[in-house]
Amino acid sequence: MEMDAQLLARAVGARVKHERKTRGWTLDRLADTAGISRRMLINVEQGAANPSVATLLHLSEALGVGLPALVEPPSERQAKLTRRGEGALLWSGERGGQARLVAGADRPDNVELWDWSLAPGDRHESTAHTPGTRELLQVQHGILRVHTGEESYELGPGDALSFHGDQPHAYVNDSSETTHFVLTVVEPSLGRSGGKESSHE
């Protein structure tokens, strides 16, 4: 069953608040460390906001907690099954595209597995991730254009691309049919604060 947006917002808020209080951080400290406004952080913790992927990534980096851990309840099971259509829906395109975080791990590095669809005309802009981040994707259906840095790549069904995610990049579907691709993000744990005083910037 698809994770309801309101339930997801509440789960994220509870996890962020728990992680912040565990570290003894004030709202101001986490907001400053994550580079978001205090008001946004309050809304996130209260489950009153559906934060963007960028906001979630900022919070993830500031707390040293992998994005999958922020959007999933803790589990002691060694295996987690996610059926087709399930997973945390973290992005919706204006034309109908979607991005779901379907699996992840945060030890030793943060690894995310995403299921993406881009409707015709959909475009997703992504800010630079933590230094050393790599993204690996494979197109399952349709045509995908990936912009990374000064380069642009066009991929068709079965084509794969690996690139540095620590620079601004974009996924674009300028074709007339829906594009579907799977994406893996590998973010090194080095540089994430994890509650320590070291900088994550």
Side-chain angles (χ1 to χ4, degrees), residues 109-125:
D109 294 333
N110 182 46
V111 180
E112 304 162 8
L113 179 62
W114 293 79
D115 181 21
W116 276 83
S117 67
L118 293 178
D122 262 338
R123 178 186 184 96
H124 176 73
E125 300 274 354

Side-chain angles (χ1 to χ4, degrees), residues 52-134:
S52 67
V53 174
T55 297
L56 289 173
L57 286 171
H58 288 314
L59 289 168
S60 169
E61 291 175 17
L63 293 167
V65 175
L67 183 58
L70 273 189
V71 301
E72 292 182 358
S75 174
E76 296 183 8
R77 298 179 62 181
Q78 292 185 348
K80 181 181 183 298
L81 174 64
T82 302
R83 297 290 186 188
R84 181 176 180 176
E86 294 180 342
L89 178 60
L90 298 181
W91 177 82
S92 295
E94 294 181 0
R95 300 175 185 272
Q98 296 184 336
R100 293 181 184 279
L101 182 59
V102 295
D106 60 4
R107 294 292 184 273
D109 294 333
N110 182 46
V111 180
E112 304 162 8
L113 179 62
W114 293 79
D115 181 21
W116 276 83
S117 67
L118 293 178
D122 262 338
R123 178 186 184 96
H124 176 73
E125 300 274 354
S126 182
T127 57
H129 303 313
T130 301
T133 297
R134 297 285 295 181

Side-chain angles (χ1 to χ4, degrees), residues 57 67-68 99-105 109-116 126 129 132-140 144 146 159-166 169 171 181-188:
L57 286 171
L67 183 58
R100 293 181 184 279
L101 182 59
V102 295
D109 294 333
N110 182 46
V111 180
E112 304 162 8
L113 179 62
W114 293 79
D115 181 21
W116 276 83
S126 182
H129 303 313
T133 297
R134 297 285 295 181
E135 299 202 10
L136 306 90
L137 61 84
Q138 185 180 41
V139 175
Q140 306 297 302
L144 174 68
V146 179
D159 292 344
L161 179 68
S162 172
F163 63 95
H164 293 281
D166 51 9
H169 48 283
Y171 315 120
F181 65 100
V182 291
L183 168 71
T184 298
V185 180
V186 182
E187 179 187 20

Side-chain angles (χ1 to χ4, degrees), residues 3 36-37 46 57 69 75 78 94 99 112 140 177 179-180 186 188 192 197:
M3 186 180 292
I36 64 174
S37 71
Q46 291 178 344
L57 286 171
S75 174
Q78 292 185 348
E94 294 181 0
E112 304 162 8
Q140 306 297 302
E177 62 177 337
T179 295
H180 179 237
V186 182
R192 296 216 310 254
E197 297 298 324

